[in-house]
Amino acid sequence: MLQQILRAPALKAILIQVLAFPLMLLLVYGLARAGLAMSLPVVALLQGVLAALLTWRVGLARWWCAIGLLFAPALLAASLLDWPPAVFLAAFVFLLSLYWSTFRTQVPFYPSGPKVWQAVAELIADRPGVRLVDIGSGLGGLVLDLARRRPDGQFCGIELAPLPWLASRLRARLTGSGARFLRGDYAALDFGRYDVVFAYLSPAAMAALWIKAETEMLPGSMLLSYEFQIAARAPDKTIAATEGGPLLYIWCF
């Protein structure tokens, strides 16, 4: 766990902000000595530019460059808002409940849609009593849809973030669905208990997912990944679930 945290891009992004701060002070000091005074918003933007350049140099994903650029200006803007602290605390708690340990797993909230659910339903149409798990099930849309279509099957979702997990549990309870939703890390699951594993994760998670699937999944089972491929092995089948959108990749065991 500690090693995963130390390797987390979020921690690197924080350290980059810390490193950019003295560099920004030196640059502002030098410009001030040259007779060029800067306002506080410009200083914040300069901090963001330096952080974005360092982020790019370290080799983090492109969206971290945008986060590095906007962090200091956003922090300054928030400090200028005359809002009570409770508002910021509520926003923090909401975002924490929604994204939870994204800083460690590098898997943000990626909801799929009805067209993807339809494509998955067609893939499992010839599997009576199918057992399917959605790892990172979010609000539970796929699992609830398949449970409604296929009362003969067993459909389960697992989600680490508390808020989406709670929402999916409530949706299942209110609709009387037979879908099950677990809260936890899919790494603790035994993939051998399922005929189909569906994933909509992120590029950072695919290598570890493949190692787990290759080790645990049984002959005749399928691994489905929406949008993100696995570098170690080409998919056995590819489906255009949405017109002009990401593809659905299938690996057969």
Side-chain angles (χ1 to χ4, degrees):
M1 178 70 73
L2 179 60
Q3 290 181 346
Q4 288 181 313
I5 293 175
L6 293 176
R7 290 197 300 265
L11 179 59
K12 294 179 182 178
I14 293 173
L15 295 176
I16 285 171
Q17 290 288 342
V18 173
L19 177 60
F21 185 71
L23 297 178
M24 177 272 294
L25 291 179
L26 287 173
L27 187 54
V28 170
Y29 176 76
L31 292 173
R33 289 291 300 270
L36 182 61
M38 289 184 289
S39 64
L40 195 56
V42 174
V43 171
L45 181 60
L46 181 60
Q47 164 78 13
V49 170
L50 290 172
L53 289 173
L54 289 172
T55 302
W56 170 78
R57 185 66 181 83
V58 168
L60 293 182
R62 287 175 295 178
W63 57 80
W64 283 108
C65 295
I67 293 173
L69 175 65
L70 298 175
F71 179 78
L75 193 63
L76 176 61
S79 68
L80 297 176
L81 294 174
D82 190 21
W83 290 352
V87 173
F88 295 100
L89 177 61
F92 172 76
V93 171
F94 172 76
L95 293 174
L96 179 64
S97 300
L98 181 61
Y99 293 103
W100 201 242
S101 59
T102 295
F103 74 94
R104 174 178 62 85
T105 63
Q106 303 182 56
V107 180
F109 179 61
Y110 281 143
S112 56
K115 293 185 178 179
V116 179
W117 309 342
Q118 174 65 33
V120 175
E122 293 174 359
L123 281 170
I124 63 174
D126 60 347
R127 291 174 176 256
V130 63
R131 298 167 300 167
L132 179 144
V133 62
D134 180 358
I135 55 174
S137 52
L139 299 176
L142 171 69
V143 177
L144 291 167
D145 182 77
L146 294 176
R148 178 183 58 81
R149 294 173 186 258
R150 294 286 304 276
D152 65 306
Q154 299 177 35
F155 301 97
C156 175
I158 185 167
E159 173 59 50
L160 197 55
L163 188 59
W165 167 78
L166 180 59
S168 60
R169 287 287 301 269
L170 289 174
R171 293 178 69 189
R173 178 70 62 87
L174 292 173
T175 59
S177 174
R180 295 189 308 114
F181 292 97
L182 309 174
R183 183 175 176 271
D185 192 333
Y186 70 83
L189 285 182
D190 178 7
F191 283 1
R193 296 169 52 194
Y194 302 96
D195 305 307
V196 182
V197 176
F198 176 87
Y200 189 15
L201 302 176
S202 79
M206 300 311 292
L209 173 62
W210 176 248
I211 292 174
K212 180 174 177 62
E214 192 175 33
T215 302
E216 298 178 358
M217 296 189 73
L218 301 178
S221 61
M222 291 192 304
L223 172 65
L224 314 179
S225 174
Y226 183 54
E227 185 171 351
F228 305 114
Q229 292 197 60
I230 292 170
R233 176 177 151 184
D236 297 296
K237 187 177 180 181
T238 303
I239 295 176
T242 55
E243 185 176 355
L247 300 174
L248 178 62
Y249 302 100
I250 300 101
W251 290 267
C252 300
F253 292 84

